[in-house]
């Protein structure tokens, strides 16, 4: 692979941005390589600045469910641009997008459009705190909800009952308000509710944990979270930034039949443009300014170009439910190929696959939680990453990210990928 132009751009970028990137995972740090700079993408392919083409299973970390530069989405965005990029005033497009979201996800009685998943989860938590008058929240170890201060925390040591910051710059006083439970571990959740009676405003969870690889909820776990939050007067927040419109048009809450109080969406909902959403029960959302005392605002919230991309994307997904069946089938075929690789190469590989999301863990552990995910051999993952890159296949540069299949991945793409995986 010729990567001279990428290297040149990387050197310049290193002087301009931390790690030469605008989001840490893009730096390829955990796979021990320098990042490739991308020139363009189309369908299932992504092309770097040196002309190397790759079958793309990152899909921009999820938004690309229709593939890159879908012609109908691009045409709609191009048309919208000539009418102006932003007005800082309401438009009918926001009604259209919010209406589509509510049609597809009935729990979204009322919502607010924002510009990133981080903004959506941060605002949902503030709405829950404003509604309950309580301060503490529960999150799960290994689940990621963006980089707002209160969500960059980790469990304290066994001796400590308090959480501690998981990033420099987060005050310990903020971290103390966030309690950390273990995904798929009911006792860890029960203990926090028992030890913090009537103090917990909300529990936020990725219904399928897709930031520790891909870890599905065990049978009954989401029902348990629904019950225990209701019993304790806490708001149940489903962070569906990844699973929303990914696992089906109704997301994980439709797949698992659970109605959360609030939900956050991102990625797919903006069709690749900066767009995210938080919303749910009207009785909670009506407390958000200007109708209530929970303040939240945004210059580009509901931006007419981003809403255009989101509307067109959701319309296509809503009109073509067969896309979901196709991408799930392709993900199953890839999961099978990883299992074959494990046998042929005599290497430990555990695959979790939910819909069009999958993750191959370099471990012989049956990964059902964060501790299981951490048993993975990240060095082996880095070698795998490099091997696939050399064969024209672009997967996540981290063991703990999901692999995404899009509607643009052809049967030939899957055949080629399987050929490389099982060589
Ligand atoms: P953003 O602020 O990055 O739009 O969304 C934050 C977020 C919230 N909730 C979930 C479940 C998420 O997965 C994310 C962001 N996902 C990561 C990758 N797993 C984005 C990639 C990156 O950080 O560059």
């Amino acid at each position: 692979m010729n990567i001279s132009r990428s290297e040149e751009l990387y050197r310049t970028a290193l002087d301009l941005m931390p790690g030469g990137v605008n989001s840490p995972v893009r730096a390829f740090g955990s796979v021990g390589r320098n990042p490739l700079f991308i020139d363009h993408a189309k369908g299932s392919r992504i092309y770097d600045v040196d002309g190397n083409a790759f079958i793309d299973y990152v899909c921009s970390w999820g938004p690309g469910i229709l593939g890159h530069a879908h012609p109908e989405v691009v045409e709609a965005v191009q048309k919208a641009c000539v009418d102006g990029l932003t007005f800082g005033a309401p438009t009918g497009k926001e009604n259209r997008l919010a209406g589509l979201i509510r049609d597809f996800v009935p729990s979204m009685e009322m919502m607010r459009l924002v510009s990133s998943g981080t903004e959506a989860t941060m605002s949902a938590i503030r709405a829950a705190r404003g509604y309950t008058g309580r301060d503490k929240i529960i999150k799960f170890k290994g689940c990621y909800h963006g980089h707002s201060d209160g969500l960059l925390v980790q469990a304290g040591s066994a001796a400590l009952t308090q959480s501690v910051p998981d990033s420099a710059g987060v005050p310990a006083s903020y971290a103390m308000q966030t309690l950390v439970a273990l995904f798929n571990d009911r006792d860890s959740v029960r203990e926090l509710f028992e030890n913090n009676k009537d103090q917990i405003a909300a529990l936020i969870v990725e219904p399928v944990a897709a930031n520790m690889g891909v870890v599905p909820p065990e049978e009954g776990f989401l029902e348990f979270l629904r019950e225990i939050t209701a019993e304790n007067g806490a708001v149940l927040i489903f962070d569906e930034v990844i699973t929303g419109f990914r696992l089906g048009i109704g997301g994980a809450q439709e797949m698992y039949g659970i109605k959360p109080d609030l939900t956050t969406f991102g990625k797919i909902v903006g069709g690749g443009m900066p767009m995210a959403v938080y919303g749910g029960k009207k009785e909670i959302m009506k407390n958000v300014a200007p109708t209530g005392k929970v303040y939240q605002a945004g210059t580009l919230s509901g931006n007419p170009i981003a809403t255009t991309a989101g509307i067109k994307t959701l319309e296509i997904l809503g009109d073509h439910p067969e896309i979901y069946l196709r991408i799930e089938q392709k993900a199953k075929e890839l999961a099978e190929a990883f299992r074959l690789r494990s046998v042929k190469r005599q290497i430990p590989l555990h695959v979790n696959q939910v819909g069009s999301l999958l993750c191959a863990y370099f471990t012989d552990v049956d990964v059902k939680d964060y501790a299981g995910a951490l048993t993975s051999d990240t060095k082996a993952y880095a070698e795998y990453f490099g091997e696939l890159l050399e064969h024209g296949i672009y997967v996540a540069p981290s063991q703990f990210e999901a692999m995404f299949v899009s509607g643009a991945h052809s049967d030939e793409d899957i055949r080629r990928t399987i050929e490389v995986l099982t060589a």
Side-chain angles (χ1 to χ4, degrees):
M1 250 184 358
N2 164 27
I3 56 170
S4 51
R5 179 77 180 120
S6 258
E7 289 298 328
E8 191 186 318
L9 288 171
Y10 184 49
R11 274 194 299 279
T12 306
L14 280 172
D15 184 39
L16 290 165
M17 293 155 283
V21 292
N22 286 302
S23 201
V25 71
R26 302 177 190 175
F28 279 24
S30 59
V31 290
R33 298 169 78 102
N34 293 339
L36 298 178
F37 279 62
I38 302 306
D39 178 71
H40 67 284
K42 179 71 180 161
S44 62
R45 291 288 190 286
I46 197 163
Y47 302 84
D48 71 11
V49 293
D50 292 292
N52 302 301
F54 303 93
I55 301 172
D56 177 21
Y57 289 104
V58 176
C59 301
S60 182
W61 308 102
I65 192 167
L66 296 177
H68 291 292
H70 188 286
E72 290 178 58
V73 178
V74 170
E75 185 189 2
V77 166
Q78 285 172 329
K79 275 192 183 150
C81 285
V82 295
D83 292 336
L85 301 181
T86 179
F87 314 124
T91 69
K93 289 177 176 175
E94 292 148 85
N95 294 1
R96 173 69 180 147
L97 181 56
L100 276 173
I101 293 167
R102 188 161 65 180
D103 290 348
F104 293 138
V105 188
S107 71
M108 295 292 280
E109 298 170 1
M110 179 170 275
M111 65 200 86
R112 176 60 63 79
L113 308 182
V114 294
S115 300
S116 72
T118 293
E119 213 183 336
T121 57
M122 176 179 70
S123 308
I125 286 166
R126 188 179 308 135
R129 284 172 163 153
Y131 173 68
T132 60
R134 300 174 180 178
D135 292 342
K136 290 185 179 175
I137 61 169
I138 295 176
K139 77 171 291 283
F140 290 88
K141 197 167 182 171
C143 282
Y144 176 70
H145 307 288
H147 64 88
S148 60
D149 285 342
L151 289 167
L152 290 180
V153 304
Q154 59 181 327
S157 66
L160 287 174
T161 53
Q162 306 293 6
S163 303
V164 295
D166 201 12
S167 163
V170 174
S173 57
Y174 284 36
M176 285 164 63
Q177 299 299 344
T178 304
L179 307 170
V180 182
L182 300 176
F183 192 73
N184 278 331
D185 178 334
R186 300 183 196 200
D187 289 343
S188 73
V189 178
R190 271 193 204 96
E191 186 183 342
L192 291 176
F193 274 106
E194 282 160 14
N195 296 343
N196 298 275
K197 270 266 169 259
D198 302 329
Q199 299 172 57
I200 295 170
L203 177 148
I204 186 168
V205 65
E206 293 178 65
V208 173
N211 282 284
M212 47 173 110
V214 175
V215 179
E218 296 211 317
E219 184 69 34
F221 184 62
L222 295 179
E223 288 80 355
F224 162 73
L225 295 181
R226 178 60 286 177
E227 285 158 20
I228 197 165
T229 46
E231 282 160 17
N232 287 275
V235 173
L236 176 61
I237 303 173
F238 268 18
D239 178 353
E240 294 222 43
V241 166
I242 285 186
T243 57
F245 311 106
R246 164 63 58 181
L247 297 183
I249 200 67
Q253 55 194 271
E254 179 183 61
M255 176 179 266
Y256 293 98
I258 301 287
K259 186 176 182 181
D261 301 310
L262 294 179
T263 302
T264 55
F265 295 108
K267 299 180 193 277
I268 292 172
V269 79
M273 298 292 283
M275 164 67 63
V277 187
Y278 73 100
K281 279 184 171 169
K282 207 169 259 190
E283 67 179 286
I284 299 175
M285 291 304 291
K286 71 185 183 190
N287 296 292
V288 176
T291 50
K293 295 189 178 353
V294 176
Y295 194 72
Q296 180 267 310
T299 302
L300 297 176
S301 295
N303 172 273
I305 311 307
T307 47
T308 297
I311 289 163
K312 184 52 75 177
T313 299
L314 295 196
E315 284 174 343
I316 294 168
L317 290 169
D319 292 346
H320 298 282
E322 71 279 5
I323 291 174
Y324 289 108
L325 297 174
R326 272 211 320 270
I327 59 181
E328 177 174 26
Q329 180 51 40
K330 289 183 163 83
K332 285 188 169 131
E333 290 167 22
L334 293 174
E336 209 36 53
F338 278 110
R339 294 182 185 108
L340 187 55
R341 177 187 181 93
S342 176
V343 170
K344 280 186 81 172
R345 298 200 179 190
Q346 290 299 301
I347 54 168
L349 267 177
H350 174 79
V351 188
N352 283 346
Q353 172 259 325
V354 181
S356 59
L357 294 174
L358 68 156
C359 179
Y361 296 91
F362 283 71
T363 178
D364 54 8
V365 166
D366 177 0
V367 178
K368 293 182 181 306
D369 54 24
Y370 187 56
L374 289 186
T375 65
S376 304
D377 177 346
T378 52
K379 190 171 170 303
Y381 184 88
E383 286 158 17
Y384 148 80
F385 174 84
E387 179 195 336
L388 263 64
L389 209 59
E390 296 294 336
H391 287 83
I393 297 170
Y394 190 83
V395 294
S398 161
Q399 166 70 88
F400 304 108
E401 298 287 353
M403 194 168 174
F404 297 88
V405 181
S406 83
H409 283 96
S410 66
D411 292 342
E412 175 51 24
D413 290 333
I414 301 303
R415 189 204 61 73
R416 171 66 185 148
T417 307
I418 290 172
E419 182 182 51
V420 171
L421 285 175
T422 57

